[in-house]
Amino acid sequence: MIRRRFPWLSYLVVVTGAVLTVVPFLDMVMTSFKGPGEAGTLPYRFLPKAFDLSNYRAAIDQLDLPVLFRNSVVATAVITGSVLLTSSLAGYALAKLRFPGRDFVFRLVLSTMMFPPFLFFIPHFLILVHWPLAGGNDLLGRGGAGLTVSILALAMPFLVNGFGIFLMRQFLVSLPDEVLEAARIDGAGEFAVWWRIVVPQTKPVLVTLGLLTFVSAWNEYIWALLVSTANPDVMTLPVGIQLLQDYVDPTRTMPIVMAGLVLSVLPVLVLFLLLQKYYIRGVMLSGLK
Amino acid sequence: MVNALAPDTTGRAAHGARSAGAAVDVRGRARRRQVGVAYLFLAPTLLFFAVFLVLPLGFALLLSMSRWAGFDLADIDPVGLDNFASLFADGSTFLTPILTNTLLFAVGTVALALSGSVLVANCIDRLRFQGLWRTLYFLPIVTTVVAVGNVWKYMYEPGGLVNGVLNTLGLGSVAFLQDPDTALPSVVVVQAWASLGSAILILTAGLKSIPESYYEAAALDGAGPVTVFWRITLPLLRPSLLFVCVTQFLTGLQSFALIIVMTRGGPGDATNVAALEMYWQAFSHGDWGTASAAAFVLFVVVLVVTLAQLWIFRRKGEDA
């Protein structure tokens, strides 16, 4: 009861906070419609004089947006698909199959979550560049661009996710063994057991994990920046937009940058609004982010 | 390709054996088959960890104790702990301002995000449409750092929204990101703004687990809202608070993408942090050795915080 006192004060706090959260997004959208010379000039005006769509066309042309979009989509799809597949397979093996070394492998998976990502940027980059016999390299990894020539380089360090395996394993441990045994007695091999029973039973977790992975892969910046420095053909949306913002006069191009940002944010935003229940559960489960 | 064929062969072998009528030790065979299948299912994962976890860790450690131009792997020149020594030598900027900035950035973010999320989570808990509010606060989290960084950078401009509001209030403009004194706090605000949503989410879950009867008892005793907050809400929320605090602190220590986007570490070294310094040393100066050494120093800091976290949570577990 006492919790419900002063509702107006609570409303004031929550609404103020929500406005502070949403206003930057609104400013981004409004700026994306502003005409030349209208953004970044004094005095500040929130609304555009007219809703000018030309910035969106400019963003699409100047940024080579279709290519950036394709690269982002391919990298995100490969990462999400691979994480779901490997997490489900490995999680099933660790939860339900008996084999020597299981505890060791599980501990290895847990320990991968202890290592911070920044530790790997340099070695991952160097390993991909110096990959032997790839992208014009010789046996000692000299002479070429290694695996960075491929669009898959964007996805490579993220193909397996320790947290994903851990999540699937924890969920599968509570799945009754009888269901699996029944299928085995009916003559199903382990692969069939996995595909016909484990995957359908874990659908909600797979959606949660898939969505978390999708969002972080789509938004990935530092690694994509490094790979596209070695090979500009594999530039992703965030990298391309940041490049435009870095090198041109801000007052003139700001609306174009904002238009590009709106386009890059939109797919994730739509997906999030549709499946937010799953995403929020994922954040609760991972605790981080 | 070999892996893809393997389950098929085992399946066929087992099938052949069964049709031959040799059904003596089915259980034992099933066990043995499970071992093969288990390692087959784990093969991509183990291969990945070997190439993208174990090998890089060794490589990074080797690099941190070498000098290398970055071309021929045979030319890696071991120099012992020289790279670490140079990070902490007189005149090096690594300890101050870079490592200091890293800590200030993390502490500042935690302080802002924690106080903000406690306030908002408490208020949301009393309102209707809680899902709607939480979704709104969540928007920054699903947005790319490039969008967040650029929108705020633009808002901090002389002709941007923040200065627009200041001017409307009759205040002068502030060069938020260009002034060395305001640059770091300005970026801290953005990082805290972006992490508010998940903190609110975890704290709301914590608040929901506090039994309503405690509040009713307090109301019967005539306790005011302030007393209730300090005596009931905060102590019972401690596990969630601790969790948010430590995870945000760890995230803060490692962040540098937002800083690259907004200030590139400048002006001067005003917003440079350890992970960003690692990035510059490696990818701008090609000094892989110093960069890897910097990464390991930051790793030790992160490790100490992580171990402290485990220790705190274990102790808390004993209390309960």
Side-chain angles (χ1 to χ4, degrees):
Chain A
M1 301 308 109
I2 198 155
R3 275 175 145 171
R4 313 263 172 249
R5 268 204 229 164
F6 303 112
W8 57 271
L9 196 63
S10 300
Y11 267 112
L12 188 71
V13 170
V14 172
V15 171
T16 310
V19 167
L20 289 177
T21 310
V22 177
V23 155
F25 289 99
L26 290 179
D27 195 38
M28 173 171 85
V29 176
M30 292 305 157
T31 308
S32 75
F33 291 118
K34 285 180 180 172
E38 233 190 296
T41 47
L42 291 166
Y44 171 80
R45 287 180 76 247
F46 184 66
L47 293 169
K49 286 189 185 118
F51 281 83
D52 188 352
L53 275 169
S54 67
N55 296 316
Y56 284 86
R57 193 167 308 128
I60 292 170
D61 294 343
Q62 288 188 26
L63 282 169
D64 215 353
L65 216 65
V67 174
L68 300 184
F69 205 83
R70 183 204 66 197
N71 290 344
S72 277
V73 166
V74 170
T76 304
V78 170
I79 292 170
T80 310
S82 170
V83 165
L84 286 179
L85 184 71
T86 54
S87 300
S88 181
L89 286 174
Y92 171 52
L94 289 172
K96 290 296 178 196
L97 300 178
R98 286 158 188 275
F99 59 94
R102 185 166 82 167
D103 287 347
F104 172 78
V105 175
F106 185 52
R107 259 182 233 133
L108 179 75
V109 169
L110 288 182
S111 72
T112 62
M113 291 191 273
M114 294 276 288
F115 294 103
F118 68 83
L119 205 53
F120 295 97
F121 286 125
I122 294 170
H124 278 172
F125 182 74
L126 293 174
I127 286 171
L128 287 194
V129 170
H130 292 282
W131 199 278
L133 303 174
N137 278 352
D138 63 12
L139 196 64
L140 280 172
R142 290 172 299 195
L147 288 179
T148 56
V149 290
S150 158
I151 195 172
L152 291 179
L154 288 169
M156 263 176 190
F158 308 106
L159 290 177
V160 174
N161 181 323
F163 168 71
I165 299 175
F166 175 71
L167 186 68
M168 294 310 297
R169 188 249 174 209
Q170 296 307 89
F171 192 81
L172 280 165
V173 162
S174 59
L175 186 75
D177 283 323
E178 289 77 16
V179 191
L180 305 175
E181 277 307 328
R184 284 179 194 137
I185 288 165
D186 287 347
E190 291 303 323
F191 192 79
V193 171
W194 171 75
W195 178 246
R196 298 235 197 93
I197 295 167
V198 172
V199 171
Q201 289 285 331
T202 52
K203 234 175 223 162
V205 201
L206 287 172
V207 175
T208 297
L209 179 61
L211 202 56
L212 274 181
T213 314
F214 179 93
V215 171
S216 68
W218 184 265
N219 291 338
E220 215 292 320
Y221 176 59
I222 300 288
W223 177 252
L225 177 67
L226 295 181
V227 176
S228 54
T229 313
N231 175 18
D233 293 342
V234 299
M235 206 175 272
T236 59
L237 270 172
V239 180
I241 294 169
Q242 183 61 30
L243 205 66
L244 180 66
Q245 125 74 26
D246 278 348
Y247 288 108
V248 252
D249 162 36
T251 51
R252 259 192 45 237
T253 51
M254 196 51 76
I256 303 174
V257 172
M258 293 298 157
L261 289 177
V262 170
L263 292 177
S264 78
V265 165
L266 220 51
V268 192
L269 220 52
V270 170
L271 206 66
F272 167 68
L273 291 177
L274 287 176
L275 298 168
Q276 50 164 312
K277 183 180 79 177
Y278 294 97
Y279 189 84
I280 285 175
R281 187 171 56 190
V283 172
M284 296 289 287
L285 285 168
S286 62
L288 287 159
K289 306 214 110 185
Chain B
M1 274 341 274
V2 176
N3 281 350
L5 287 171
D8 205 29
T9 4
T10 41
R12 217 173 285 158
H15 185 75
R18 206 181 304 131
S19 56
V24 196
D25 191 8
V26 181
R27 253 201 130 98
R29 188 169 302 133
R31 278 282 143 72
R32 254 172 286 132
R33 197 183 59 178
Q34 266 195 11
V35 176
V37 173
Y39 275 103
L40 189 77
F41 281 13
L42 284 165
T45 295
L46 292 175
L47 191 70
F48 178 88
F49 284 157
V51 178
F52 287 98
L53 186 84
V54 180
L55 180 65
L57 281 177
F59 195 23
L61 202 58
L62 175 74
L63 280 176
S64 72
M65 293 189 262
S66 324
R67 224 180 297 283
W68 185 43
F71 300 107
D72 192 340
L73 288 170
D75 285 345
I76 297 182
D77 178 22
V79 293
L81 296 176
D82 280 9
N83 294 324
F84 291 92
S86 74
L87 282 177
F88 295 102
D90 281 342
S92 159
T93 53
F94 188 69
L95 208 54
T96 40
I98 295 169
L99 219 49
T100 320
N101 282 346
T102 313
L103 288 172
L104 285 176
F105 181 82
V107 170
T109 313
V110 169
L112 273 184
L114 205 60
S115 46
S117 59
V118 168
L119 185 66
V120 174
N122 252 294
C123 292
I124 285 184
D125 201 37
R126 301 157 198 238
L127 301 184
R128 277 186 291 175
F129 311 119
Q130 297 189 8
L132 171 76
W133 299 119
R134 264 178 285 152
T135 308
L136 280 181
Y137 282 101
F138 229 76
L139 291 180
I141 298 177
V142 290
T143 314
T144 160
V145 66
V146 170
V148 168
N150 278 306
V151 171
W152 276 88
K153 188 179 171 186
Y154 168 59
M155 294 202 315
Y156 280 142
E157 291 282 313
L161 192 147
V162 180
N163 275 315
V165 171
L166 289 181
N167 294 344
T168 313
L169 296 172
L171 299 165
S173 296
V174 179
F176 288 98
L177 298 176
Q178 288 76 32
D179 182 341
D181 293 332
T182 52
L184 191 65
S186 304
V187 185
V188 164
V189 167
V190 183
Q191 173 86 9
W193 174 83
S195 52
L196 213 56
S198 57
I200 288 174
L201 188 66
I202 290 160
L203 292 182
T204 310
L207 283 171
K208 292 252 179 289
S209 66
I210 301 177
E212 191 71 27
S213 56
Y214 288 23
Y215 291 101
E216 281 158 14
L220 284 178
D221 288 347
V226 178
T227 318
V228 168
F229 177 75
W230 285 104
R231 288 297 190 57
I232 297 178
T233 309
L234 267 194
L236 289 169
L237 203 56
R238 217 184 65 177
S240 321
L241 283 172
L242 209 59
F243 182 79
V244 171
C245 188
V246 177
T247 50
Q248 299 274 13
F249 191 66
L250 282 171
T251 314
L253 286 176
Q254 304 174 36
S255 321
F256 68 112
L258 184 70
I259 297 178
I260 285 200
V261 171
M262 290 187 73
T263 64
R264 304 175 73 75
D269 267 330
T271 55
N272 202 359
V273 292
L276 183 59
E277 177 66 9
M278 168 210 85
Y279 176 87
W280 289 144
Q281 290 289 351
F283 299 101
S284 295
H285 306 169
D287 190 346
W288 307 105
T290 310
S292 303
F296 273 104
V297 172
L298 180 58
F299 177 51
V300 169
V301 175
V302 169
L303 198 66
V304 168
V305 176
T306 309
L307 291 176
Q309 169 194 22
L310 289 174
W311 183 72
I312 291 171
F313 280 115
R314 199 157 294 161
R315 256 179 48 126
K316 192 204 74 214
E318 279 162 16
D319 285 353

